[in-house]
Amino acid sequence: MVGNVDLDLLEKTYQNASMGITAIKAILDKTSNKELNEQLRQQLKDYQELAQKSRQQLKAHNVEVKEPTYTKAMMKGNVKMKTLMDDSDSHIAQMVIQGSTMGVTQMLKLINAKKNADNTSVEIAREFVKKEEQNIEKMKKFL
């Protein structure tokens, strides 16, 4: 049986991936740089895959997936406001880097705190961290 530790890790991975999906969708139309747009689309695909993996694990253990709707709405508004003042490639890259850094920090703290989490949950969470770290590196050239 999966304990609360595992479910918490899966839920946080799902929520972080969902926030990434929301953020990327909110900024995709703000850039005309083809290369940046392609990088953002790849990030979106990665987030969707990670959200699906964590959602499947949660559902396999009869856990209702909680959508962070309020936070998503706040995220959309925040992205729109920040890009209204500056929609340059550099600013968009900076926003993505900041969001990814927050995701890495939150997930690493959680992984380190959840020493008894099952392998599947930890693998999905670590995959999320790895993708976020790759996203940060890819965005640096647009700064």
Side-chain angles (χ1 to χ4, degrees), residues 45-138:
K45 182 180 171 211
D46 291 343
Y47 286 136
Q48 290 168 331
E49 289 172 4
L50 287 162
Q52 183 62 23
K53 280 184 185 181
S54 51
R55 178 186 297 145
Q56 285 174 338
Q57 287 297 312
L58 288 165
K59 286 188 176 184
H61 294 92
N62 299 315
V63 175
E64 183 181 338
V65 179
K66 299 173 190 157
E67 293 290 336
T69 50
Y70 175 76
T71 312
K72 283 182 172 183
M74 293 293 291
M75 167 73 71
K76 284 181 189 177
N78 192 19
V79 167
K80 287 182 191 266
M81 200 153 65
K82 284 185 175 184
T83 55
L84 189 63
M85 309 262 278
D86 182 0
D87 65 353
S88 67
D89 293 345
S90 177
H91 188 245
I92 289 171
Q94 179 183 348
M95 289 171 53
V96 172
I97 289 169
Q98 289 171 342
S100 293
T101 300
M102 287 191 307
V104 167
T105 303
Q106 181 184 26
M107 292 307 296
L108 284 175
K109 284 173 69 175
L110 192 59
I111 291 167
N112 292 335
K114 306 290 185 175
K115 300 290 184 201
N116 297 323
D118 71 297
N119 288 340
T120 302
S121 299
V122 172
E123 284 175 22
I124 294 170
R126 287 197 187 283
E127 184 180 353
F128 177 86
V129 169
K130 181 181 176 186
K131 292 288 185 185
E132 287 289 63
E133 289 172 339
Q134 290 170 347
N135 293 342
I136 291 167
E137 287 304 310
K138 290 176 183 175

